[in-house]
Amino acid sequence: MYVAIYASVACSPADEPTALKLESVKEPEGGEQQALRVYRELSEAWLKMGHYRIAEHFAERALVIGSSALGEESLDFAEMLDRMATIHAKRQEFDRELNVREKLLSLKTKALGDQHPEVVGAIRGVANAHRHAGSLELASEMLEKARASATQLMGAEHKEVADIYDDMAEAVKRKQPDVAQGLYEKAKSMRLKLFGEVHVDVAQSLANLAVLHIQRRSYKEGMELYYKALNIRIKASGRNHPDVAKAYYDVCVAHRGMNSHDRAQVLCQRALAVGLEVLGENHPDIADTYNMYGNIFAHLHSNQKAAECFEKALAIKRRLLGDGHLEVAQSYNNLAIVRVAEGAFDRALALNEKALQVGSKDNKEDNLEAIRSYSNMGLVYQKQGLDKIALDMFLKAVDIMQRMFGETHPGSASIYSNIAIIHKKLGSYGEAVSMYELALPLKVKFLGEEHLDVARTRKEMAGACTKLGDYAKAWPLYEQALAQIINKRGKDHSEVADTLTEMAAAKNSEGAHDEATKLLERALSIKLSLADQQSDVSAVYSGLAETYFAQGQHERALELHKKALESTMRQGEEDNIQSAVCYENIAKVHIKLEAWDMARPPLERALDLRVKALGEDHVDVASTCDSLAGVLRQLGESKKALDLYERVLPVRMQALGAEHPEVARIHDAIAALHVALGSHDHALEPMAKALAIRQKELGEQHPELAEMHIALAEAFAREGALGPAEKEYESALAIRLKAHGEDHPSVAEIHAGIGKLHAQHGESELAAAMQEHIRTARAYSALGNTCKTQGSYEQAWEFYERALALWVKVLGDDPHPDIAGVYDAMAFMHKDRGAYSSSQELHQKALDILLQVHGDSHMDVARSYRNLAVVHSLRGFYDIALQKYQKVLDMLHHLCSQEDPEVANAYSGMATTLAHKGERERALELQEKALAIRLKAFGADDSRVADSYHEMATVLCESGSHERARELYESALAIRERACGERSAEVARTYHSMAMLHAELGDSGRAMELHQMALQIQLNKLGPQSLEVANSYLGIAALHLDAGSDDEALKSFQAGLSIQQKILGEKHPDVARTCANLARLHFSKGNFDSAWELDHMARSTMPRQAQDLLHDDLFSL
């Protein structure tokens, strides 16, 4: 029967699911006891062989039979539970392990009592399960309890106590290595007394201590301990033993850490030979050894051998652990590293993606292999020049690292450095310095002050500081790095010369050219003394050339750049990237001298070299194309220049994002070349794209944008598009009016351009003058809208009044839609400030004008009625508001389809009014109608769909359906983040509403977090003088008040009140409410004068019938 079962399992195909392999196994004959004995022995046998899935299968069957045959409270059943827990631990199923260990502890405690050695072992088992699951503090507490019990029951020098000390060290070694070392030393001392020097337990103690040294990068000390452990194991167990194979493996790890890869290879070969002989091919330890062998071959650039080893490890892991195991993900990640080394980037990314999928199948998404996958993918994208995508990958890796281990894990340092490198390449030098500041102390802590990687990080950080112009910070970093490299390498090493060259570049940036020259001469002397490294001299010659170039000695710079090129060519490196750099440097000097025909050949040669080395779509190839296009443009070869810029554009967009300033510059260049070639219609699109990017970068009213609007206007004019041309001129006019006033020459220039535009279309001088007034009026209206958005209400009001005055000058009493537009804009301002009566009056004026102009069957008239409905609703005149909304819907029935977004707007407004009346069910029905229209009109990812979700959530909050409201707010948030950007004002509004919901649910921590997130965005996007900022301060104040943090509440209330008073005025009801809340707070703190003053202010502001909203009279006592 044994033979049948072994054969059935062992011969099953490796890719066949475990369940199918084992279902065909027949039950052992001879009754329950016989079956139980067979299954127990089989689970033990497969466990020893490392076939954990098969062992688990037989262990499960044994437990099922044992439950009825032995009873679940018997000690034999406990032994089976112990084996199952061990299997779960081997499979890294730590939650399941913990569950079984806790059952085992309960069973043994019940059977044997608290004070029994086996119960101590069970406590230790539960503690280690907690440790495996990451609950280290709880594990440490339980292990201390186990140690105390074991000491009492078995004596302080018992083997079990030593084992517990090892477990305790394991629980703290990551965060407290010094404590762990003390515990390991204690266990070692006990074992030496118990067993003498030649014992496997003593060898284990030495290996444990070695791991600590390796963790600290003290490879030499770790290696010595590993060798001692190895010798003991050989003496104790003989050369052919699994423990000896593991010992060879451990020593191999130490050598690899010391970069002794040749020695590591020999040891790994021994580990593999012994392991294969005693364990066979299908064992987890063999898979681990193949993985190590693969890593060694990868480092030695033997990619084919590395791939073979990794593939063998992968096959074993899949066979033993299944496709969904985390160690399978590890093997995919290992293979990906080889594919990167081969330049097969797509295959590498596919393997990393596969590792991510495997890692998240049965495990939490936060795991070490996910960190490796994202880090590897970041490196791949970085090699391809796709820096923005690479940055996203590294940020994901570091995010998981921080969630798992906090910010001070040693693995974070290299990721921080990679992020810093990308920020440097993208020109974000401040962010790069911040990342280096995170990486450097970690490297110092875990590698030691004198490690070369620490010196190199200091050097890289100094380079970023130099780019920021922070020479005072950069220079000490350079000097420290140089001293460390000299100490490690010697004063005449090539890396010393490279460092001197970089320091010279910093001195050149600072303008200290004489000091730069001295540094470079010192570097050159070192390089020339190293006969086998002549090719490196080119970098020094280039550095000297840059020094002369910065001083205006262009001919001398050119001579040295040519010398640098000759240096690379002498070494047979004519076709490498360094040669391309030399050619580009030569071209740069010719460009400075405006010798365009001389600049062209070296740039063309550089481009050929870069394409050959990197491929057509690399970001560095795009940079060379960019430079060559600029030269061709100067030579008048517009078509060739245009072709190159169009080749550059998609690469830059992918690398930097579609809205980067560099992308705008390329759009500008393409537009200019289309104009030069006479294809004016093709120039319009790139001009408009460049303008949109600059507007987002600088703000719509930035003075620099006026020129871009004018250029676009002229392009439209050439195409005969009078309307769009005039619109662009008006935008330019608004910018210059704000910047310079009406009498500035640049404003007159725009008027002249518009006059010329109208003259071309045959307009009279009188008509042109009238148009000039109209344009200026519209410009003032646009300025008013901008100021209102920014919270500058007084300035906005001034611009609106100027616009009205010009309209009166042009039209007298004649009605015009633009005048209605100004009245509406002023009405919206009154509404924002709570002056609803004045708002209603101005909206009515706008409606009267529009009725005169259009009659009562026009879309603008319907919108005007809707504006009035909104104000009536805010004033509490809900029935009048509903009548207005109904009129709007009746008009829209004749004006547009019933699926038009305007109908949705009317439904939404009517729903808000009904909700205020308490008719929430009907309100939700209308909101759902509005949502259906918006989904059909705009799609699921439009911000207007998010508006519907947000409005529905607000109604649900008021009706107490908080969970459904939360879901809708989250849907709105997800859409707004995608449609408007994660740092948009719309996202901030959603955060604010979600904060109010969480506050109502009593989750004040999450509410505070959301309010703070909203506030940060609002301050950035809306400025400090915004009502939305005020509302966030007041929400934060309320949370502080509830938490008893009166001082913090006071600060936030005062910040909110200050903004409210500035925008709404002293007499607004919202100001009164805030004053009343502040009064109550001051009263509770004993500040009676301040409390009285604020309470008086609140009561004198609000109408008497509304004063019941305030607190009871504070001073009635």
Side-chain angles (χ1 to χ4, degrees), residues 430-473:
E431 286 87 343
V433 170
S434 298
M435 286 294 113
Y436 283 130
E437 285 173 341
L438 290 173
L440 184 58
L442 290 178
K443 290 185 178 183
V444 170
K445 179 178 179 181
F446 293 106
L447 301 179
E449 183 65 52
E450 297 305 315
H451 197 281
L452 274 175
D453 200 26
V454 171
R456 288 164 187 157
T457 303
R458 283 200 171 101
K459 190 166 61 168
E460 290 164 5
M461 184 175 170
C465 292
T466 299
K467 290 291 187 181
L468 286 171
D470 192 352
Y471 303 111
K473 189 173 183 177

Side-chain angles (χ1 to χ4, degrees), residues 131 134 141 151 231 257 282 302 320 335 362 416 461 465 601 640 727 817 862 931 993 1018 1070:
R131 176 169 63 82
E141 289 175 15
T151 301
N231 290 329
N282 290 316
S302 299
L320 297 182
L335 266 172
D362 296 322
Y416 290 141
M461 184 175 170
C465 292
K640 289 182 178 178
K727 183 181 177 185
L931 173 62
S993 297
Q1018 290 159 347
D1070 288 351

